[in-house]
Amino acid sequence: MADSQAQTTFNERPKLVVGIVVDQMRWDYLGRYYDKYQEDGLKRLMNQGYSCNNCLINYLPTVTAIGHTSAYTGTTPAFHGICGNAFYINGVKRSSCEDPNVQTVGTNKKEASSPVNLLASTIGDQLRLHTDFKSKVIGVSYKDRAAILPAGRSASAAYWIDTKNGQFITSTWYMQELPKWAKDFNAQLKKNKELQKVGKDVGLYPLCGHITADMAIAALKGEQLGKGEETDMLCVSFSQTDVIGHEWGTRGERTDEAYLELDKDIAKLLKAFDEQVGEGNYLVFLTADHGAAHNFKFMEDHKLNGGAFKWDEVFSVDAAKRLAAKFHLTKNVIKDCLDYRIVLDKEAIREQGVDEQALRDAIVEELLNTPHIAFAFDFKKAATAPVPEMLNDRSGDIIFMLEPGWYGFGKWSSPIGTTHGEWNPYDAHIPLLFYGWKVKHGETSREVHITDIAPTVCQKMHIQQPNACVGEAITEVIE
């Protein structure tokens, strides 16, 4: 009898697994807004679920594409291959999900996206493998990378917003035509007067979260997720919190509103799961892809360390002159700087007969002598640098880290807004909540990592971990 019961337990799985990522959500937002959250939203997850209060990101840089990928693959950029929101492949700069070999579906937009650059499997891929691809796995988000990368390469579908026409779209990686329920949902969006008013700037408003939640519920019902013989998975990412944070920072009415409205979206999703699948029949985890620094002016006003680092003004001009003089350069040898990662122009280096390693060493020395840069190292020497070797060639050639409170000021941050990307707790300390199927209420302050999410969920379902997983299952959640 005991063996029979053990076998039954071993084969049990929830009807539905739901992954929720809140883009740019700092861990302390759970407490900051706790008294204002409603009872059936985030408070429900906190008060009835299990909270890992010391979940950290264990790689650099802390940006959207990497965070979503690492949470669902259980591994770092060195293995899953998504080394930034953009990176170079064979000398060509690509966004993380850019794919010239597919076409968009649901719009006439030329740029198309897929998980082609993802090298590792995800939770959803493993679930599909385990069930001989009978499980449905769907990703939904405002951003293409936030819908595509969590769902994985074998996903049933991924949907994201084309801001030009205010519609959810996909690509031919998944299908040739949107399903009827998605077309019907898009038809309703065309009638949304609030969406018509904000247009392509929808990401700057809580409305973006509302329609993301509604699209996720439309997929839940349209695909009858959680009602089949096998476990299904829904990957939802809320991006408006990131867009608003970049524009208005971590403090103020706009950010406050964003998280209180997000709370309503979470409550709406949980209610839909209760109705569609049944309370106790689904497993939810909620986390973030990264946090965010406080606005540098806010820090300065309160006599705290902080500032804006402008690459073109602070480093590249003067340093470029010194490097040119030292190595007799006639062409620029630095191709790009992406998320604190310097990409060298290898062809220009070869053409000018420059000793590449000597050049790398000189650039690192220049960085270390640059105000407000705390660390810099050559990826080739990463094993002996202060940060472990985690990243591969897609990451660039040299990485640098700024002093606490400092961040790169540019495309993704306004004068009153902020950004992210560093190792510091404000960027790397993220929420991690588990709720629902066989999850006991509790919390731990033991250090866990974003890469521990995937093995925990897979272990709980008794399926194999993703194929490049380096994380460890969080035993407190499994027991």
Side-chain angles (χ1 to χ4, degrees):
M1 180 64 71
D3 289 343
S4 176
Q5 289 177 342
Q7 186 65 38
T8 301
T9 301
F10 196 85
N11 287 336
E12 281 186 318
R13 288 193 297 275
K15 299 296 291 182
L16 177 69
V17 175
V18 181
I20 300 174
V21 177
V22 182
D23 204 325
Q24 203 183 115
M25 185 175 186
R26 293 163 52 110
W27 172 78
D28 57 353
Y29 287 164
L30 293 177
R32 176 173 174 79
Y33 299 112
Y34 183 84
D35 292 338
K36 296 181 180 179
Y37 289 143
Q38 58 191 53
E39 295 298 323
D40 53 354
L42 284 162
K43 269 190 179 179
R44 180 176 172 184
L45 301 182
M46 287 186 277
N47 294 342
Q48 298 179 37
Y50 195 90
S51 179
C52 297
N53 295 327
N54 194 22
C55 182
L56 302 175
I57 294 174
N58 53 342
Y59 52 77
L60 290 170
T62 48
V63 296
T64 297
I66 305 179
H68 282 80
T69 308
S70 296
Y72 282 86
T73 61
T75 195
T76 58
F79 300 108
H80 60 57
I82 304 300
C83 298
N85 293 331
F87 41 83
Y88 284 80
I89 299 178
N90 298 324
V92 179
K93 188 177 180 180
R94 303 279 192 197
S95 66
S96 57
C97 292
E98 183 179 346
D99 186 351
N101 296 315
V102 299
Q103 291 78 47
T104 55
V105 174
T107 182
N108 58 4
K109 184 178 179 181
K110 292 183 179 180
E111 300 84 4
S113 304
S114 84
V116 67
N117 296 322
L118 176 61
L119 304 180
S121 66
T122 63
I123 300 169
D125 289 327
Q126 295 303 137
L127 181 61
R128 296 262 289 162
L129 282 164
H130 191 84
T131 63
D132 291 328
F133 300 94
K134 295 175 184 176
S135 294
K136 294 180 180 179
V137 177
I138 294 176
V140 176
S141 183
Y142 164 83
K143 298 178 181 179
D144 61 348
R145 57 187 178 269
I148 291 170
L149 298 172
R153 293 180 64 98
S154 72
S156 309
Y159 303 98
W160 56 96
I161 297 177
D162 178 4
T163 56
K164 291 183 180 179
N165 65 6
Q167 302 280 281
F168 275 93
I169 64 173
T170 187
S171 78
T172 51
W173 179 280
Y174 307 99
M175 63 192 73
Q176 299 299 314
E177 184 179 3
L178 290 173
K180 182 179 183 304
W181 63 262
K183 291 180 179 179
D184 292 343
F185 184 81
N186 278 335
Q188 292 300 312
L189 285 182
K190 287 184 178 180
K191 301 176 183 178
N192 189 310
K193 293 182 179 179
E194 187 180 358
L195 181 57
Q196 292 174 4
K197 182 179 179 181
V198 301
K200 64 182 178 60
D201 294 324
V202 62
L204 289 169
Y205 299 89
L207 173 64
C208 180
H210 301 336
I211 63 178
T212 298
D214 289 342
M215 178 62 174
I217 293 170
L220 176 77
K221 295 178 178 180
E223 298 292 344
Q224 292 291 288
L225 301 180
K227 288 187 173 294
E229 293 183 3
E230 301 291 352
T231 302
D232 295 321
M233 186 169 190
L234 180 61
C235 309
V236 186
S237 179
F238 290 99
S239 305
Q240 75 282 354
T241 44
D242 182 69
V243 183
I244 289 170
H246 281 299
E247 188 69 21
W248 286 290
T250 61
R251 292 289 187 269
E253 294 180 1
R254 297 300 296 265
T255 300
D256 294 349
E257 178 190 29
Y259 281 91
L260 297 183
E261 290 298 309
L262 167 72
D263 186 45
K264 296 176 183 178
D265 293 328
I266 300 297
K268 182 189 293 186
L269 284 176
L270 295 176
K271 182 180 179 181
F273 301 148
D274 288 343
E275 294 173 350
Q276 178 78 5
V277 187
E279 188 173 356
N281 291 327
Y282 60 89
L283 171 66
V284 174
F285 68 86
L286 181 145
T287 191
D289 53 346
H290 54 75
H294 293 310
N295 174 264
F296 71 88
K297 187 65 169 59
F298 170 84
M299 296 287 280
E300 291 173 351
D301 289 345
H302 293 276
K303 301 180 181 179
L304 294 164
N305 190 44
F309 183 89
K310 300 180 181 180
W311 166 258
D312 291 336
E313 296 180 13
V314 179
F315 176 82
S316 63
V317 177
D318 292 339
K321 291 180 180 178
R322 288 190 291 270
L323 290 170
K326 182 174 182 178
F327 292 94
H328 308 290
L329 302 175
T330 57
K331 293 182 178 179
N332 188 10
V333 292
I334 296 178
K335 180 181 290 188
D336 210 340
C337 182
L338 302 169
D339 304 318
Y340 313 106
R341 297 167 294 137
I342 295 174
V343 181
L344 298 178
D345 189 330
K346 306 295 178 60
E347 185 175 347
I349 293 171
R350 286 193 297 269
E351 286 179 358
Q352 297 174 88
V354 176
D355 182 329
E356 182 180 327
Q357 189 56 61
L359 176 65
R360 286 172 176 263
D361 293 341
I363 293 173
V364 170
E365 183 178 356
E366 287 283 354
L367 288 167
L368 292 174
N369 290 326
T370 301
H372 308 299
I373 290 183
F375 299 99
F377 62 88
D378 182 342
F379 276 121
K380 284 188 175 181
K381 300 181 179 180
T384 58
V387 177
E389 186 172 10
M390 300 174 182
L391 312 176
N392 64 10
D393 291 340
R394 294 186 184 186
S395 297
D397 300 288
I398 296 167
I399 192 166
F400 60 92
M401 292 165 276
L402 303 177
E403 292 176 358
W406 283 75
Y407 56 80
F409 184 83
K411 180 180 179 181
W412 299 112
S413 55
S414 76
I416 58 175
T418 189
T419 192
H420 49 85
E422 293 283 9
W423 66 270
N424 310 75
Y426 46 78
D427 282 350
H429 188 190
I430 55 175
L432 177 55
L433 303 170
F434 293 88
Y435 170 83
W437 184 79
K438 294 186 180 296
V439 174
K440 63 183 180 181
H441 174 56
E443 62 180 348
T444 181
S445 293
R446 179 174 69 85
E447 181 177 323
V448 300
H449 301 116
I450 190 172
T451 51
D452 296 335
I453 297 172
T456 301
V457 175
C458 289
Q459 183 68 31
K460 203 159 183 66
M461 290 194 291
H462 294 101
I463 66 173
Q464 187 59 273
Q465 299 172 352
N467 60 13
C469 183
V470 297
E472 298 181 3
I474 303 168
T475 55
E476 296 92 330
V477 177
I478 299 169
E479 294 174 347

